[in-house]
Amino acid sequence: LYFSAQDGILLFYHIKDLQYELKVCADISQPISSLIFSPDYTSLLLVTDQGPVYSYKPAYSGEAVKLLDTCSSCFLAADFLTPGNKHCVSVTISGEVQVWFLEDGTCLGKLNLGVEVHIT
């Protein structure tokens, strides 16, 4: 079970039978608004309240790597584009939808919806 706290720490509970172990996986020092697994469960996207999107690979137990950042508006949500896990789509509060290549953080395209976006 992966979850995050308000302080930007990604935590993992390993639960087996009646035993559990808590592990701190990554500390990005920014509130995490959502966690999204890739379709093959090899990568985890960490979307923050302040703009950046990070990637964490559970099998490697390394640090979270900043993939994307925005200057004009904060990301509201992001998700992997399937099939595969090399691309993701994001939307900003200002209504800009973007497609990203995750290996190097390149923005492949964007579309401005012309409206402010909210999650309900």
mmCIF file with all atom_site columns, all heavy atoms in Angstrom, residues 4 18 36 63 80:
data_model
loop_
_atom_site.group_PDB
_atom_site.id
_atom_site.type_symbol
_atom_site.label_atom_id
_atom_site.label_alt_id
_atom_site.label_comp_id
_atom_site.label_asym_id
_atom_site.label_entity_id
_atom_site.label_seq_id
_atom_site.pdbx_PDB_ins_code
_atom_site.Cartn_x
_atom_site.Cartn_y
_atom_site.Cartn_z
_atom_site.occupancy
_atom_site.B_iso_or_equiv
_atom_site.pdbx_formal_charge
_atom_site.auth_seq_id
_atom_site.auth_comp_id
_atom_site.auth_asym_id
_atom_site.auth_atom_id
_atom_site.pdbx_PDB_model_num
ATOM 1  N N   . SER A 1 4  ? 0.726  8.964   0.655   1.00 0.00 ? 4  SER A N   1
ATOM 2  C CA  . SER A 1 4  ? 1.563  10.132  0.943   1.00 0.00 ? 4  SER A CA  1
ATOM 3  C C   . SER A 1 4  ? 0.934  10.946  2.065   1.00 0.00 ? 4  SER A C   1
ATOM 4  O O   . SER A 1 4  ? -0.275 10.931  2.257   1.00 0.00 ? 4  SER A O   1
ATOM 5  C CB  . SER A 1 4  ? 1.737  10.993  -0.300  1.00 0.00 ? 4  SER A CB  1
ATOM 6  O OG  . SER A 1 4  ? 0.494  11.538  -0.682  1.00 0.00 ? 4  SER A OG  1
ATOM 7  N N   . LEU A 1 18 ? -0.901 -10.726 9.672   1.00 0.00 ? 18 LEU A N   1
ATOM 8  C CA  . LEU A 1 18 ? -1.163 -9.736  10.717  1.00 0.00 ? 18 LEU A CA  1
ATOM 9  C C   . LEU A 1 18 ? 0.040  -8.841  10.990  1.00 0.00 ? 18 LEU A C   1
ATOM 10 O O   . LEU A 1 18 ? 0.030  -8.051  11.921  1.00 0.00 ? 18 LEU A O   1
ATOM 11 C CB  . LEU A 1 18 ? -1.606 -10.436 12.013  1.00 0.00 ? 18 LEU A CB  1
ATOM 12 C CG  . LEU A 1 18 ? -2.914 -11.223 11.898  1.00 0.00 ? 18 LEU A CG  1
ATOM 13 C CD1 . LEU A 1 18 ? -3.200 -11.965 13.186  1.00 0.00 ? 18 LEU A CD1 1
ATOM 14 C CD2 . LEU A 1 18 ? -4.065 -10.309 11.535  1.00 0.00 ? 18 LEU A CD2 1
ATOM 15 N N   . ILE A 1 36 ? -0.335 7.922   -9.141  1.00 0.00 ? 36 ILE A N   1
ATOM 16 C CA  . ILE A 1 36 ? -0.885 7.157   -10.258 1.00 0.00 ? 36 ILE A CA  1
ATOM 17 C C   . ILE A 1 36 ? 0.128  6.110   -10.692 1.00 0.00 ? 36 ILE A C   1
ATOM 18 O O   . ILE A 1 36 ? 1.257  6.453   -11.056 1.00 0.00 ? 36 ILE A O   1
ATOM 19 C CB  . ILE A 1 36 ? -1.219 8.069   -11.467 1.00 0.00 ? 36 ILE A CB  1
ATOM 20 C CG1 . ILE A 1 36 ? -2.171 9.180   -11.069 1.00 0.00 ? 36 ILE A CG1 1
ATOM 21 C CG2 . ILE A 1 36 ? -1.827 7.254   -12.595 1.00 0.00 ? 36 ILE A CG2 1
ATOM 22 C CD1 . ILE A 1 36 ? -1.496 10.498  -10.922 1.00 0.00 ? 36 ILE A CD1 1
ATOM 23 N N   . GLU A 1 63 ? 15.312 7.375   -5.219  1.00 0.00 ? 63 GLU A N   1
ATOM 24 C CA  . GLU A 1 63 ? 14.625 8.632   -4.958  1.00 0.00 ? 63 GLU A CA  1
ATOM 25 C C   . GLU A 1 63 ? 13.619 8.923   -6.071  1.00 0.00 ? 63 GLU A C   1
ATOM 26 O O   . GLU A 1 63 ? 13.744 8.434   -7.172  1.00 0.00 ? 63 GLU A O   1
ATOM 27 C CB  . GLU A 1 63 ? 15.637 9.780   -4.881  1.00 0.00 ? 63 GLU A CB  1
ATOM 28 C CG  . GLU A 1 63 ? 16.436 9.784   -3.604  1.00 0.00 ? 63 GLU A CG  1
ATOM 29 C CD  . GLU A 1 63 ? 15.563 10.028  -2.381  1.00 0.00 ? 63 GLU A CD  1
ATOM 30 O OE1 . GLU A 1 63 ? 14.747 10.968  -2.386  1.00 0.00 ? 63 GLU A OE1 1
ATOM 31 O OE2 . GLU A 1 63 ? 15.697 9.256   -1.417  1.00 0.00 ? 63 GLU A OE2 1
ATOM 32 N N   . PHE A 1 80 ? -0.849 8.269   -16.997 1.00 0.00 ? 80 PHE A N   1
ATOM 33 C CA  . PHE A 1 80 ? -0.128 7.625   -18.081 1.00 0.00 ? 80 PHE A CA  1
ATOM 34 C C   . PHE A 1 80 ? -1.041 7.463   -19.283 1.00 0.00 ? 80 PHE A C   1
ATOM 35 O O   . PHE A 1 80 ? -2.244 7.249   -19.133 1.00 0.00 ? 80 PHE A O   1
ATOM 36 C CB  . PHE A 1 80 ? 0.367  6.245   -17.643 1.00 0.00 ? 80 PHE A CB  1
ATOM 37 C CG  . PHE A 1 80 ? 1.495  6.300   -16.656 1.00 0.00 ? 80 PHE A CG  1
ATOM 38 C CD1 . PHE A 1 80 ? 1.233  6.302   -15.302 1.00 0.00 ? 80 PHE A CD1 1
ATOM 39 C CD2 . PHE A 1 80 ? 2.804  6.358   -17.087 1.00 0.00 ? 80 PHE A CD2 1
ATOM 40 C CE1 . PHE A 1 80 ? 2.271  6.349   -14.383 1.00 0.00 ? 80 PHE A CE1 1
ATOM 41 C CE2 . PHE A 1 80 ? 3.846  6.421   -16.183 1.00 0.00 ? 80 PHE A CE2 1
ATOM 42 C CZ  . PHE A 1 80 ? 3.574  6.404   -14.819 1.00 0.00 ? 80 PHE A CZ  1
#
